[in-house]
Amino acid sequence: MKYFFTVLICFLTINLTAQDPYADLSTPYASVRTFLENLQPESTNDSLALLPFKPDGRSFDEARDAAVKFKRILDGRGIYLYLDEIPNVTNYQDSASTRKKYILIDEYPKIFLLKAENGKWYFSESSIDSIDELYQETFRFGTGELLNVLPKLGTKKTFGLYTYQYITIFILALISALVYKIFSFFTERIFSRLVKRFKYESETSEKYLWQVARPTSVFIIVLLLLLLTPALQLPVTYSKYINIILRVMVPLFGTVIMYRLVSIASIFLMRMAQKTESTLDDQLVPLLRKTLKTFVIIIGTFFILNNLQVPILPLLTGLSIGGLAFALAAQDTIKNFFGSVMIFIDKPFQVGDWITSNDVDGTVEEVGFRSSRIRTFRNSLISVPNSKLADNTIDNHGLRKYRRFHTQIAVTYDTPPEMIEVFVNGLRKIVEDHPKTWKDNYHVYFNEMASSSLNIMFYIFFKVPTWGDELKCRHEILMSIIKLGKEIGVNFAFPTQTLHIENLPGQPSLSPSYLSDSEAKMKLESFFKKN
């Protein structure tokens, strides 16, 4: 019987002890536990929960206000404090500052506990100020006032949540759907007016503009939820993962919006490029679109990782080292990229130009990141690294204002001088009458007495943009020359040899006879007097 009463007394003592409020400030662990256990919804004891916030000199109301705000911050942001990780040592000393100080949350180093002269651990004065700032940051636009109103909707707990929390979640769902509808309506009106103003077809607006409107609506809803969710004061575990999801969704949808805006901007730029005479900007727009999209994805990824609390600095350091190794391994690719940049800046040629560079001869079809594609006159396609094009000499036939045509028109030696003069004048008339010739710069002269012909130099320029047009003009000019020669009786020469037999039996001699010296001088004087 004595043994039975002893066990019963111990049992009652343990139960009474377990139900007693916890109040101890001797260690960092004890102070944090005192704060947390006395502000639980099931066992709220403000007078004990404020003790870690009330060193000598601080009023009761200030300490209570700081304790309540800090608890709301922890619940609203989903910050879980692991008591097992908090030091339970009276004389704990911070290794970095060598002070008797304990930083409670690594993300917020301004909130910490200090050991007072009386041996108790309290939140510092700067911690109270930081809690006020963090509270304003967590509950923006006065949403903190909802914490005084929402619990009045019902405090019955079901499946881990209170009645007011279920009601608030339902209201938030309705507000989100309403915001989505309202924003979609206004974006439809705005985009419709833009389409009418810039006279773009409705197909383009539906395909691209609505791809921006929808994620933008979701983006606004996510911001709204991120603003109001802390006021729900959900259990810490729920708040933690909800905050992580919402904070990831913000940069995620922001990245999607910017990615699609780049597509829309590229369409507008492409239409502007089509209005210009240069075709190189038609290739610059796709290159710019790819670059901007890559940039948007990279920046968006960094924001997402940052919101997931992934350390960015070590990642960037690793990327820089890896980038150096990559740069050494891919230096030719980088040279080609900068070669393409120089091509777009200097514009030595554009798409459609006929260029010659070393062994490459053809028409430019595309300028890319790494190489340019050139269609040869054999209709084959050559890919030339941009670094080589940037370094080599480029002969751009496409930038010529005029295309030269130079040939020798050969007539027979028996053509009279007067006929040659008439023929040359006719050739000049052909040049003057043709609509595509450069009238201010052409040369048509009797130029050479060759071995088997009398040669007339025919040197003119065509004012045409393409090689095909040049060939057409050559054809027209040459046909006119042949018709002129046939009309006036000029015979065109070709390489020939004439065999003269001077003496045949019974035939007069074919050997030429020459004037005497005196007769030749008289003829010379007469010739120069006539001319």
Side-chain angles (χ1 to χ4, degrees), residues 21 59 149 191 308 316 369 386 395 443 486 496:
S59 67
V149 177
F191 288 153
L308 286 173
L316 291 176
F369 273 112
N386 288 328
D395 184 6
H443 303 280
K486 184 178 180 180
T496 58

Side-chain angles (χ1 to χ4, degrees), residues 236-403:
V236 177
T237 307
Y238 294 172
S239 293
K240 178 180 179 181
Y241 292 106
I242 290 174
N243 274 280
I244 290 175
I245 293 172
L246 292 177
R247 291 185 182 277
V248 169
M249 289 177 69
V250 169
L252 177 62
F253 280 95
T255 303
V256 172
I257 293 168
M258 295 304 299
Y259 187 89
R260 293 180 177 177
L261 281 175
V262 170
S263 299
I264 295 175
S266 65
I267 294 173
F268 296 154
L269 291 176
M270 182 63 74
R271 294 189 177 185
M272 294 175 61
Q274 291 173 353
K275 296 178 181 179
T276 61
E277 296 181 358
S278 173
T279 57
L280 191 60
D281 51 7
D282 295 341
Q283 292 293 320
L284 179 61
V285 172
L287 185 65
L288 182 63
R289 181 182 68 245
K290 294 176 184 178
T291 304
L292 288 178
K293 284 187 174 181
T294 303
F295 179 76
V296 167
I297 291 173
I298 292 174
I299 297 301
T301 302
F302 279 130
F303 273 105
I304 291 172
L305 293 176
N306 182 60
N307 285 358
L308 286 173
Q309 299 181 359
V310 176
I312 301 297
L313 187 59
L315 181 62
L316 291 176
T317 304
L319 288 176
S320 62
I321 297 173
L324 179 61
F326 177 77
L328 293 174
Q331 53 183 328
D332 291 338
T333 303
I334 296 174
K335 285 173 60 180
N336 290 328
F337 172 74
F338 282 104
S340 65
V341 173
M342 295 308 300
I343 288 173
F344 282 113
I345 293 175
D346 293 341
K347 296 183 179 180
F349 56 82
Q350 59 184 0
V351 176
D353 283 352
W354 167 25
I355 66 170
T356 301
S357 178
N358 290 348
D359 298 333
V360 179
D361 187 24
T363 305
V364 180
E365 286 196 351
E366 182 182 352
V367 180
F369 273 112
R370 179 188 173 276
S371 62
S372 297
R373 295 182 179 181
I374 300 174
R375 180 74 63 179
T376 67
F377 297 107
R378 302 184 303 276
N379 202 35
S380 61
L381 191 64
I382 300 177
S383 294
V384 184
N386 288 328
S387 59
K388 292 186 177 181
L389 286 177
D391 293 338
N392 292 340
T393 302
I394 297 175
D395 184 6
N396 191 339
H397 308 283
L399 292 180
R400 294 180 298 177
K401 292 183 178 180
Y402 304 97
R403 294 174 179 262

Side-chain angles (χ1 to χ4, degrees), residues 5-23:
F5 281 111
T6 303
V7 173
L8 180 60
I9 291 170
C10 292
F11 177 76
L12 293 173
T13 303
I14 293 173
N15 276 295
L16 290 173
T17 305
Q19 293 175 358
D20 288 340
Y22 185 86

